[in-house]
Amino acid sequence: MAAYQLAQQALAADFAARWAEVLAAVEAREIAGSLTELEAEYTAAIRESAAASRVLSIAFYRLVRALETGRVIGGPDYRPGASLGSLWADFNKATGKRTGTGPHEQLAVDTRNPFPVEDLAHEALRAEEAFRHQVADRVAQHESEHAGQGSAELNDPELIAWEKEFLDSLKTGSTGAGGMLVQDGGRDAIHTALQDDPGAIGYFRKTDASPCYFCALMAGRGAIYKSKRTAAFGAHPHCHCQPIPIFSRRYQLPIENGRFSRMWRDFGGGSLADWRTYYSDKAPG
């Protein structure tokens, strides 16, 4: 589980590094004239890492299912004669690390494919919308504010500081939105598969080390069973939470989920804003 979450975070980090390199090559005053090229780089970087996130998630889902049920599920990249050993090998390949191994006896097969077909057009639209909101619209506003300031020397300290603040804000917003889409490549694959796989019971939310108040609240719900179908997993920019599939009633929640659940009970009720204040006061660190 930890290896899976770290690998998903690494994919988001790979995207962030690639996008940071692109932004570093463009000065603030040149961005407005480079939006077409920047959008192409942004969407391509998201697409590449999101595709890897999907492959990783399917390998993880298939491995966890086999470990808990003794049966392997069909779908993308399924290889006839799959064993726990081959499923571990697929997962290791997707993470880029040796995380585990298993026996090579052939597993029983459920031929159903619960994994959604990639909707490349929808994914491209989401990336385009993220770029528009986080880059193009911000650049337009920045250009308008710049025009209102009148002329200034390029080496003016205040102008340099203002441009740096703008670039930092642009990088933070666009990286967070893009990183969310990267990990959604895998999160969506798992969440949809859970609904269409007869062998799945539900999922729980695995947070990172320091989740926000919203993610802590969602994790505190514990297991989400298929009788409580939800429309979406509920991630946000800079979120590294992952849905962990459940195939057996013998599942065990992470310690953190129980702690968040107790915090919610101790909170005693109130608005989401009240919970946010309570959580910020009580959360460690």
Side-chain angles (χ1 to χ4, degrees):
M1 188 189 307
Y4 170 67
Q5 189 168 35
L6 289 173
Q8 287 287 10
Q9 290 182 30
L11 289 173
D14 288 344
F15 155 76
R18 178 174 170 179
W19 178 233
E21 186 176 347
V22 171
L23 287 179
V26 183
E27 294 188 22
R29 61 180 178 273
E30 299 173 342
I31 287 182
S34 305
L35 289 178
T36 300
E37 295 82 359
L38 287 174
E39 182 175 4
E41 293 276 7
Y42 187 70
T43 55
I46 290 174
R47 173 60 198 148
E48 183 177 319
S49 291
S53 172
R54 173 183 165 83
V55 169
L56 171 62
S57 288
I58 291 175
F60 176 69
Y61 185 101
R62 187 172 277 132
L63 174 62
V64 172
R65 190 185 195 276
L67 287 169
E68 293 192 13
T69 69
R71 303 181 67 86
V72 64
I73 192 75
D77 299 323
Y78 166 71
R79 292 180 290 169
S83 65
L84 284 177
S86 69
L87 296 183
W88 271 113
D90 291 342
F91 180 64
N92 291 341
K93 180 180 179 181
T95 62
K97 299 181 182 297
R98 182 175 174 80
T99 59
T101 187
H104 293 281
E105 288 79 13
Q106 184 173 335
L107 295 167
V109 182
D110 292 326
T111 57
R112 184 187 186 100
N113 174 11
F115 302 105
V117 175
E118 289 184 278
D119 189 342
L120 298 182
H122 180 65
E123 291 177 9
L125 180 61
R126 290 188 69 195
E128 291 166 6
E129 289 177 345
F131 183 85
R132 183 172 68 253
H133 292 312
Q134 299 297 337
V135 181
D137 289 352
R138 290 184 182 219
V139 168
Q141 180 180 352
H142 180 74
E143 290 293 299
S144 176
E145 293 173 353
H146 192 284
Q149 288 186 346
S151 60
E153 297 293 332
L154 294 180
N155 61 352
D156 183 292
E158 290 188 6
L159 177 62
I160 292 173
W162 184 62
E163 296 285 20
K164 183 180 184 304
E165 182 180 358
F166 161 67
L167 287 175
D168 288 345
S169 174
L170 187 76
K171 178 181 176 182
T172 298
S174 58
T175 298
M180 180 182 71
L181 295 181
V182 165
Q183 294 181 87
D184 279 352
R187 286 188 287 231
D188 291 349
I190 285 184
H191 193 269
T192 302
L194 287 166
Q195 308 301 335
D196 295 331
D197 180 0
I201 295 176
Y203 74 92
F204 63 84
R205 188 184 194 97
K206 176 72 173 67
T207 70
D208 59 16
S210 301
C212 71
Y213 72 100
F214 172 80
C215 293
L217 177 59
M218 294 298 100
R221 295 184 300 170
I224 306 299
Y225 298 104
K226 291 171 70 170
S227 59
K228 299 180 180 179
R229 293 170 67 98
T230 52
F233 176 68
H236 58 80
H238 302 290
C239 174
H240 296 302
C241 294
Q242 301 296 335
I244 305 300
I246 300 171
F247 303 96
S248 167
R249 296 286 178 179
R250 297 187 301 275
Y251 68 86
Q252 186 172 3
L253 291 173
I255 295 175
E256 293 79 6
N257 294 58
R259 178 164 59 85
F260 298 143
S261 180
R262 290 190 296 273
M263 286 180 66
W264 174 254
R265 290 197 301 269
D266 293 342
F267 169 58
S271 68
L272 191 59
D274 292 335
W275 162 252
R276 182 175 187 173
T277 300
Y278 179 86
Y279 177 74
S280 64
D281 291 339
K282 300 293 184 179

